[in-house]
């Protein structure tokens, strides 16, 4: 069972007691990501994530790290396109320490000018690391093409220009506008006393106030997710071509999400999938090939990624196209549907054996749906998927008028027209 409550200041809380383990995971989910940015302040959300580890009124950066290291715990954070999350995993008898540290970081960070300038260098190095990764570049390039004209096209980390130009005043204004109780969810999963934990949360987080300023976020372009055919290339001195094909997907709130996950697993989301077996096992054209959905509140895409020698690109595209044609025409078999359901249920249940995953799942559910689905409800949703559901999703995903292609590598001699002819027509 889950305990769902709300602190007096508006912060929503969700907890799950798991009495048979000795650990607990706590996460603070902020309803703020790079989607909240504009072209000028791109990267600010991620920059703030870094700065919250740099020091508060009571602790410097080393003390923050040592507070969790000294009890054998884990303290970390991540920023995505729609959310930011700060979390700790500790032994259950140290849950109050985790609350103390997280509340101090979010409520009392100093954002010192000197630390901001230092962190610019650190984040630039992180950016250069991603730019040295052709896989990351291909995925990012695809996002830029498919979400062109919307804030979802912006890279989470920002650009070299925006990182260098960020100012303390910009950070403080953005922080004040977004790090407010109405945008926060505290999620806890593990061996806890829910009532005692709620009392502790009120102590550590109850003083957070809604100090939102007048919104300055007026530069975001109109949201229009009308995907069209595009192909783009980044020339890079690599041995392989890293190739991404983007197709229209589903928003995370879609009632057909489970059908998308099932179709994804059958198409290219597992080692037994059609694409993996065809491209790697049967034809030996690539070492890595996979599909995976990226779903957001208002839209989504299905990504197809593969890395291979430049000489194999057209042949692989043709083989992928053959599989798309086959699944469009014939859908899937009843046996495939049954197996994919079991695969999806197994992956879900095994993932929920981890307190971090459970904490993140219930927190994300509360954020998106304003309720928490039980494991039984999730399993029932998977079991209820019909062939008609698969057909509806099939028609959305494999609409060639919305395919986009990103290539990174030595693509000078790649026959772009041939690739377009195969996939876009």
């Amino acid at each position: 069972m889950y305990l769902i409550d709300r602190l007096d200041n508006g912060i929503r809380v969700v907890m799950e007691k798991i009495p048979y383990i000795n650990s607990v995971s706590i996460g603070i989910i902020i309803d703020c990501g790079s989607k909240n940015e504009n072209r000028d302040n791109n990267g600010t959300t991620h920059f703030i994530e870094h700065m919250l580890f740099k020091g508060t009124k009571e602790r410097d950066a080393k003390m923050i790290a040592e507070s969790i290291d000294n009890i054998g715990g884990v303290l970390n954070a991540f920023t995505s396109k729609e959310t930011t999350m700060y979390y700790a995993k500790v032994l259950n008898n140290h849950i109050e320490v985790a609350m103390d540290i997280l509340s101090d970081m979010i409520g009392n960070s100093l954002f010192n000018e000197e630390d901001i300038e230092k962190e610019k260098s650190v984040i630039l190095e992180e950016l250069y690391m991603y730019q040295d990764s052709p896989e990351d570049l291909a995925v990012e390039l695809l996002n830029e093409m498919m979400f062109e004209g919307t804030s979802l096209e912006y890279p989470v980390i920002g650009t070299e220009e925006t990182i260098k130009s960020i100012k303390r005043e910009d950070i403080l204004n953005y922080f004040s506008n977004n790090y407010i109780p109405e945008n926060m969810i505290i999620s806890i999963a593990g061996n806890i006393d829910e009532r005692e934990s709620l009392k502790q949360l009120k102590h550590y987080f109850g003083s957070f106030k809604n100090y939102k300023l007048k919104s300055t976020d007026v530069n975001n372009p109109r949201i229009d997710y009308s995907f069209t055919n595009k192909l783009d290339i980044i020339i890079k001195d690599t041995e392989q071509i890293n190739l991404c094909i983007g197709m229209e997907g589903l928003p995370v709130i879609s009632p057909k999400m489970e059908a998308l996950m099932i179709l994804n697993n059958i198409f290219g989301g597992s080692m037994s999938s059609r694409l993996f077996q065809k491209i790697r096992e049967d034809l030996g054209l690539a070492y890595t090939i996979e599909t995976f959905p990226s779903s957001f509140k208002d839209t989504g895409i299905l990504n197809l990624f593969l890395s291979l020698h430049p000489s194999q690109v057209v042949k692989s595209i043709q083989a992928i196209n053959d599989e798309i044609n086959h699944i469009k025409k014939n859908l899937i078999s009843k046996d495939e549907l049954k197996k994919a359901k079991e695969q999806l249920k197994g992956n879900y249940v095994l993932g929920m054996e981890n307190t971090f995953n459970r904490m993140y799942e219930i927190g994300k559910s509360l954020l998106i749906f304003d309720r928490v689905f039980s494991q039984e409800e999730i399993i029932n949703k998977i079991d209820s998927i019909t062939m008609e559901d698969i057909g509806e999703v099939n028609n959305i995903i494999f609409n060639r008028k919305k395919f986009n292609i990103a290539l990174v590598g030595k693509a000078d001699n790649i026959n772009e027209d041939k690739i377009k002819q195969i996939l876009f027509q």
Side-chain angles (χ1 to χ4, degrees):
M1 294 295 293
Y2 308 107
L3 183 149
I4 299 176
D5 210 324
R6 187 184 291 266
L7 305 186
D8 291 340
N9 58 4
I11 297 178
R12 286 177 288 171
V13 176
V14 58
M15 302 185 204
E16 181 182 12
K17 180 179 176 65
I18 311 172
Y20 51 84
I21 59 176
N22 298 313
S23 65
V24 58
S25 291
I26 174 172
I28 317 301
I29 303 174
I30 315 295
D31 190 11
C32 176
S34 58
K35 184 181 175 182
N36 296 74
E37 301 167 356
N38 57 53
R39 197 169 296 280
D40 295 327
N41 68 8
N42 179 214
T44 303
T45 315
H46 175 258
F47 205 108
I48 288 173
E49 177 215 312
H50 277 238
M51 290 307 302
L52 263 58
F53 288 82
K54 297 305 161 188
T56 70
K57 298 172 183 177
E58 302 295 330
R59 300 175 173 93
D60 60 22
K62 185 178 180 182
M63 291 173 66
I64 290 173
E66 285 182 340
S67 296
I68 298 297
D69 285 349
N70 290 346
I71 58 174
V74 174
L75 178 69
N76 212 334
F78 63 83
T79 306
S80 69
K81 288 190 179 291
E82 293 193 314
T83 60
T84 309
M85 178 159 154
Y86 303 85
Y87 64 92
K89 184 173 183 178
V90 296
L91 295 178
N92 61 301
N93 60 314
H94 293 308
I95 180 61
E96 191 170 2
V97 176
M99 291 182 187
D100 184 14
I101 297 299
L102 289 168
S103 65
D104 192 29
M105 290 168 58
I106 295 173
N108 300 307
S109 283
L110 296 174
F111 300 102
N112 282 330
E113 194 77 59
E114 183 180 352
D115 290 330
I116 290 173
E117 292 307 310
K118 284 182 184 177
E119 207 59 27
K120 286 182 181 181
S121 297
V122 173
I123 295 174
L124 284 171
E125 290 301 323
E126 185 180 358
L127 173 65
Y128 301 148
M129 177 183 71
Y130 291 134
Q131 290 176 342
D132 280 344
S133 166
E135 298 93 339
D136 291 331
L137 275 180
V139 173
E140 197 60 60
L141 178 60
L142 185 71
N143 283 332
E144 290 176 11
M145 287 192 294
M146 297 202 73
F147 297 123
E148 184 179 9
T150 78
S151 56
L152 283 177
E153 75 169 300
Y154 306 142
V156 170
I157 196 171
T159 66
E160 186 170 355
E161 180 182 1
T162 58
I163 293 167
K164 287 181 177 179
S165 64
I166 199 165
K167 296 179 175 60
R168 184 173 188 267
E169 182 182 359
D170 300 330
I171 292 174
L172 292 178
N173 285 339
Y174 189 90
F175 182 85
S176 297
N177 272 302
N178 293 287
Y179 277 63
I180 55 176
E182 67 187 67
N183 284 352
M184 293 183 188
I185 285 179
I186 302 175
S187 181
I188 305 177
N191 193 346
I192 54 170
D193 180 324
E194 297 107 309
R195 295 298 171 186
E196 180 62 26
S197 293
L198 186 60
K199 180 180 176 182
Q200 293 166 343
L201 288 177
K202 289 178 180 178
H203 171 72
Y204 287 106
F205 293 90
S207 62
F208 286 23
K209 290 183 172 58
N210 278 306
Y211 49 104
K212 188 172 186 177
L213 305 176
K214 182 180 179 181
S215 177
T216 58
D217 189 19
V218 297
N219 297 319
N220 277 339
R222 181 177 63 87
I223 297 176
D224 180 13
Y225 301 111
S226 54
F227 306 123
T228 57
N229 292 141
K230 289 185 284 290
L231 183 150
D232 203 356
I233 295 174
I234 295 177
I235 302 297
K236 197 170 182 64
D237 187 13
T238 59
E239 291 298 321
Q240 291 186 309
I241 292 290
N242 291 267
L243 188 151
C244 270
I245 301 171
M247 299 161 258
E248 183 176 12
L250 297 175
V252 69
I253 60 173
S254 170
K256 304 296 182 184
M257 269 304 296
E258 285 74 22
L260 171 61
M261 297 299 294
I262 286 174
L263 188 56
N264 172 68
N265 281 355
I266 293 170
F267 180 54
S270 66
M271 291 180 64
S272 61
S273 67
R274 294 184 180 188
L275 286 182
F276 190 94
Q277 290 298 310
K278 181 75 170 182
I279 302 299
R280 175 167 163 166
E281 300 298 345
D282 294 347
L283 299 177
L285 295 175
Y287 175 73
T288 299
I289 181 164
E290 61 176 331
T291 61
F292 54 94
S294 297
S295 293
F296 308 101
K297 290 178 183 176
D298 303 317
T299 187
I301 60 176
L302 183 70
N303 306 266
L304 192 163
F305 174 83
L306 70 158
S307 56
L308 70 173
H309 193 272
S311 64
Q312 306 282 33
V313 169
V314 172
K315 188 176 181 181
S316 295
I317 291 289
Q318 185 63 66
I320 290 168
N321 187 64
D322 291 342
E323 289 301 318
I324 290 174
N325 285 337
H326 185 267
I327 204 167
K328 279 187 69 176
K329 181 180 179 180
N330 304 300
L331 273 183
I332 61 175
S333 69
K334 291 182 179 179
D335 187 52
E336 282 181 309
L337 178 59
K338 181 180 178 181
K339 289 178 179 178
K341 286 182 178 181
E342 292 305 311
Q343 181 184 31
L344 190 58
K345 289 189 293 185
N347 290 341
Y348 168 71
V349 172
L350 289 175
M352 291 301 99
E353 304 256 315
N354 179 297
T355 59
F356 171 83
N357 290 344
R358 285 171 84 151
M359 173 272 291
Y360 184 47
E361 186 70 22
I362 62 176
K364 187 173 62 173
S365 179
L366 186 62
L367 176 66
I368 296 169
F369 300 102
D370 201 28
R371 61 157 296 185
V372 175
F373 295 96
S374 68
Q375 292 191 36
E376 183 179 4
E377 286 178 300
I378 298 295
I379 296 297
N380 288 338
K381 287 170 72 174
I382 295 172
D383 280 332
S384 68
I385 296 301
T386 66
M387 200 67 80
E388 287 72 25
D389 296 323
I390 299 297
E392 288 184 38
V393 174
N394 178 79
N395 290 333
I396 294 170
I397 291 173
F398 299 119
N399 179 355
R400 295 182 183 279
K401 294 180 180 179
K402 299 184 178 183
F403 283 10
N404 288 262
I405 306 169
L407 298 99
V408 176
K410 290 181 182 177
D412 311 68
N413 298 318
I414 296 295
N415 191 333
E416 297 178 42
D417 291 335
K418 184 65 174 177
I419 293 174
K420 291 178 182 178
Q421 182 183 5
I422 295 171
L423 283 179
F424 291 171
Q425 298 177 11

